[in-house]
Amino acid sequence: MRDEKCIFCRIANGEIPSNTLYEDDGYRVILDLGPASKGHALILPKEHYADLYELPEEAGGEVMRIAKKMAVRMKEKLGCTGLNLVQNNGESAGQTVRHFHVHLIPRYDDGSRIAGWTPGNPSEEELARVRDLICGQ
Ligand code: 5GP
Ligand code: ZN
């Protein structure tokens, strides 16, 4: 399903022009308009899925296949020394466009930070409680 009101549906399906790095029947990879680094790109499915929760499992596999292809190309062509895959789901996670997408963010040895957190220090018991919460019946 495609959503006429969704900007990423329109970009992915070529209704709005973009700097496209890769395209096939189901996906388009474009340069991000507000890049975190040189080469920051977005993998967009042509179908509309709001987020990871709506994404079919097979599409997840396809997206990772494309991510790998693009990562190799970025290393060769841009000379990046690292790469972050970032994928936000929901407002609390920083998602601003409600059409599933994966960020490919090439990294260079320039000291810049993309995302960081302060590591916690939970006890073994706390970790086990969380494990049981996620995995329990
Ligand atoms: P999110 O915060 O939802 O994970 O990421 C949305 C990303 O889409 C942001 O990095 C933003 O710069 C990018 N973006 C938003 N609108 C457009 C657009 O119209 N074209 C392109 N190429 N990128 C966009
Ligand atoms: Zn959409």
Side-chain angles (χ1 to χ4, degrees):
M1 194 197 78
R2 287 159 200 179
D3 178 345
E4 276 309 306
K5 294 189 293 294
C6 170
I7 180 113
F8 278 6
C9 277
R10 299 184 66 198
I11 293 173
N13 290 283
E15 284 175 37
I16 295 176
S18 62
N19 286 295
T20 294
L21 307 180
Y22 170 86
E23 184 185 6
D24 63 26
D25 287 350
Y27 301 86
R28 184 186 294 269
V29 180
I30 63 168
L31 285 179
D32 194 296
L33 273 189
S37 71
K38 186 171 83 178
H40 181 170
L42 303 170
I43 305 175
L44 310 177
K46 292 185 177 181
E47 294 294 320
H48 182 85
Y49 310 113
D51 54 26
L52 184 65
Y53 297 100
E54 289 191 3
L55 189 78
E57 280 187 16
E58 320 76 68
E62 282 296 289
V63 167
M64 198 48 83
R65 182 184 62 75
I66 294 167
K68 160 85 187 193
K69 189 195 291 286
M70 296 307 304
V72 170
R73 193 175 300 170
M74 284 171 164
K75 192 173 180 184
E76 280 173 10
K77 304 283 189 177
L78 296 173
C80 54
T81 52
L83 181 120
N84 292 108
L85 287 185
V86 176
Q87 201 278 305
N88 301 323
N89 299 282
E91 217 174 297
S92 59
Q95 187 180 15
T96 57
V97 181
R98 294 286 290 158
H99 175 119
F100 174 92
H101 53 280
V102 172
H103 296 258
L104 288 156
I105 307 177
R107 303 298 301 276
Y108 306 90
D109 290 321
D110 57 5
S112 63
R113 281 173 68 89
I114 301 295
W117 58 83
T118 307
N121 187 23
S123 65
E124 281 298 324
E125 292 74 24
E126 281 166 328
L127 286 175
R129 261 199 304 279
V130 176
R131 179 199 61 208
D132 291 345
L133 191 61
I134 296 169
C135 298
Q137 302 298 323

